[in-house]
Amino acid sequence: MGVSRRRLLISDFIMSFMWVWSSVLIKMFVHTILGYGAHDLKGEILKHAISVINMFLFALLVKATKGGAYNPLTILSGAISGDLTNFIFTVATRIPAQVFGSITGVRFIIAAFPNIGRGPVLSIDIHRGALTEGCLTFAIVSISLGLSRRSRASTFMKTWISSLSKLTLHILGSDLTGGCMNPASVMGWAYARGDHITKEHIHVYWLAPIQATLLAVWTFNLLVSPSKDEEAKKREKKSE
């Protein structure tokens, strides 16, 4: 395994660890330190604003680590369209690194704050839960793929659109499944609760998002023609 791949694995682990911590720290800052109630409008607005800033910070970390990630769906959507070696590396090593980072992060959270909560919990039946997570995932993956093709758009604008989209979709699904769209993060909390191998967890938070990601990539490639940069890269590979 090359140095760059080892660096990616370490980055995935650390960023996944940081991601589960960031969501908890934001809630603690708004509700515990500032004292806003659970359904206080000002508190909710502040929490969502900080969440957007947090997503900007993680976007900077992705650049700083040259491709590090904290969400399996993000790297899976790219690996599907890539070569077989990259796909195997993503599925066999990068996604497990993210899961392990999330599990480790949640364990540290519970050790530091035993009464912090239980994380995302399914509040509807398994079929509607799988449909909800699948639809949310399909939407965010499609948006992400669309933004990746907009080469003329600034990085700030792409991150702004992506952050607001994730936040909106999260709010829509928060009362049903938690609106996670991140199997690794959910796995961290489910492992801590001991229900990480249940049918509900596997179907709703793993199978449905993965199937939605595959469908989103296939649909996007079917409807949207490849960019000029991608066509140029393919020609270079053929010429080699």
Side-chain angles (χ1 to χ4, degrees), residues 69-91:
Y70 55 90
N71 191 335
L73 303 179
T74 302
I75 56 177
L76 182 61
S77 61
I80 292 169
S81 304
D83 56 73
L84 180 61
T85 303
N86 181 52
F87 178 80
I88 294 174
F89 172 67
T90 299
V91 174

Side-chain angles (χ1 to χ4, degrees), residues 37 87-88 99 123 138-139:
F87 178 80
I88 294 174
V99 171
S123 59
F138 181 87

Side-chain angles (χ1 to χ4, degrees), residues 16 19-20 23 70-72 98-99 102-103 106 120 180-190 201 206:
S16 299
W19 179 255
V20 294
S23 60
Y70 55 90
N71 191 335
Q98 292 175 350
V99 171
S102 298
I103 291 174
V106 171
C180 305
M181 300 167 286
N182 185 337
S185 179
V186 182
M187 180 68 171
W189 291 102
H201 173 75
W206 279 98

Side-chain angles (χ1 to χ4, degrees), residues 169-192:
L169 293 170
H170 168 71
I171 293 172
L172 289 174
S174 59
D175 292 333
L176 304 175
T177 62
C180 305
M181 300 167 286
N182 185 337
S185 179
V186 182
M187 180 68 171
W189 291 102
Y191 186 84

Side-chain angles (χ1 to χ4, degrees), residues 8-19 58 69-70 97 101:
L8 273 179
L9 292 179
I10 296 171
S11 300
D12 288 347
F13 174 86
I14 294 174
M15 289 181 66
S16 299
F17 182 96
M18 293 173 61
W19 179 255
F58 272 88
Y70 55 90

